[in-house]
Amino acid sequence: MEDLTDAPAIPVLSGDGRLLDLLFSLRGKGSVHSVFTRVVNLLAPGGTLIALAARGSGDAPRTLVADVADWSAYQLGAGLDVTFATGNIALDRSPAPRPPLRLATAGARAWHPAAPSLAPLPPGALAGAADAVARICRVHGPLGGMLGARPGAGPMEAAVVRALHAGRDLLLSGLRTGDRERTRDGVLALLGLGPGLTPAGDDFLTGLVLVAALPGSRLDGFPPLLRDLLADRGDRTTALSLATLSEAAEGRVRSELLRLVALLAHGNPTAAGPGGGPRSGELHASVREVLAIGHSSGGDLLSGLAAGLRLEEELRGPL
């Protein structure tokens, strides 16, 4: 095993606490999965997908935030070797024989996502929160996924959007009536549906299963059903999406989405705040922060979240 302690290291600023614990004892060879301007995805020994995010990125499951502006200057490429050794990560660079790029996790702030409970909210609050989120999405959300086809969209995009809406309706019908087979069919209709590393159907499932994974949810049977389907049919989607969905089924999602859920959990998001200022401004900023995720991922995540909130309200009934 190479000694990685002598090479200059880029510090990791923060990371998923669960991942940091894993890396402390992890030794062996992995590889670079994919490279983007602000994110590099790695496959660790054993196949766990890990994201290296640039400075200023939000915390997220299976993610380390490193002290770099972006990754464009580091000559990284998919398939190159990665060495893991007791909290240190060394990435081979191209062309050889460039020295490896080393990252050190010592001193990184550990992020531990905490999902709030929506159970204490009074009747009507969940549906009101969903409506407030949906209104902001209609004004600012990107089209091309669950929010609808773009103006002048070609037949392929229009067909994908129709399939997304059909899968969504089938899934929600199954959850609403407790029909396990319809629920299963709805998940499979959405899993992997759409372009990109996290397809729109998967982003919708992520937002929906987050609600189901919150403490006290009436949808608590959905996360184990989804986990079973991911174990059996995970090859229908991308490695990144599979990891994201698996974490969301445990209530572990990106910090931007958790901040929004925490805001909604505090009650009516359109009411005046304790200092007299409008909490609607906080909600608007928080929704816009989620909408900024990916090209259309944020809108699809919020579509799933809003659908889950409405369904949770229906299943509670009058209290």
Side-chain angles (χ1 to χ4, degrees), residues 176-241:
R176 184 177 291 110
T177 60
D179 187 325
R180 187 177 179 85
E181 285 306 308
R182 286 180 70 84
T183 300
R184 182 181 184 277
D185 290 345
V187 170
L188 292 178
L190 292 171
L191 190 61
L193 180 58
L197 282 175
T198 58
D202 295 356
D203 288 328
F204 178 86
L205 288 170
T206 297
L208 179 62
V209 78
L210 171 60
V211 176
L214 295 176
S217 173
R218 302 296 200 276
L219 296 164
D220 57 355
F222 182 47
L225 182 148
L226 179 61
R227 282 195 292 267
D228 288 345
L229 284 174
L230 293 176
D232 186 47
R233 307 294 289 275
D235 58 350
R236 295 170 66 107
T237 190
T238 66
L240 178 57
S241 217

Side-chain angles (χ1 to χ4, degrees), residues 167-305:
R168 173 199 63 193
D169 294 346
L170 179 61
L171 173 57
L172 295 179
S173 171
L175 289 170
R176 184 177 291 110
T177 60
D179 187 325
R180 187 177 179 85
E181 285 306 308
R182 286 180 70 84
T183 300
R184 182 181 184 277
D185 290 345
V187 170
L188 292 178
L190 292 171
L191 190 61
L193 180 58
L197 282 175
T198 58
D202 295 356
D203 288 328
F204 178 86
L205 288 170
T206 297
L208 179 62
V209 78
L210 171 60
V211 176
L214 295 176
S217 173
R218 302 296 200 276
L219 296 164
D220 57 355
F222 182 47
L225 182 148
L226 179 61
R227 282 195 292 267
D228 288 345
L229 284 174
L230 293 176
D232 186 47
R233 307 294 289 275
D235 58 350
R236 295 170 66 107
T237 190
T238 66
L240 178 57
S241 217
L242 181 61
T244 301
L245 283 166
S246 298
E247 296 287 344
E250 297 185 43
R252 290 167 46 85
V253 295
R254 294 177 61 132
S255 56
E256 299 96 327
L257 196 52
L258 282 179
R259 278 194 292 271
L260 173 59
V261 173
L263 178 62
L264 298 175
H266 285 104
N268 182 0
T270 62
R279 293 194 63 225
S280 57
E282 295 177 61
L283 176 67
H284 189 276
S286 188
V287 171
R288 292 293 299 273
E289 188 178 36
V290 177
L291 285 173
I293 297 172
H295 175 63
S296 61
S297 285
D300 297 323
L301 286 166
L302 292 173
S303 293
L305 179 72

Side-chain angles (χ1 to χ4, degrees), residues 62-87:
R62 306 192 194 188
T63 298
L64 304 174
V65 179
D67 192 14
V68 298
D70 61 59
W71 300 103
S72 58
Y74 291 99
Q75 294 85 42
L76 302 173
L80 292 176
D81 285 344
V82 179
T83 303
F84 293 81
T86 318

Side-chain angles (χ1 to χ4, degrees), residues 141-154:
L143 298 176
M146 278 292 181
L147 297 179
R150 293 171 294 184

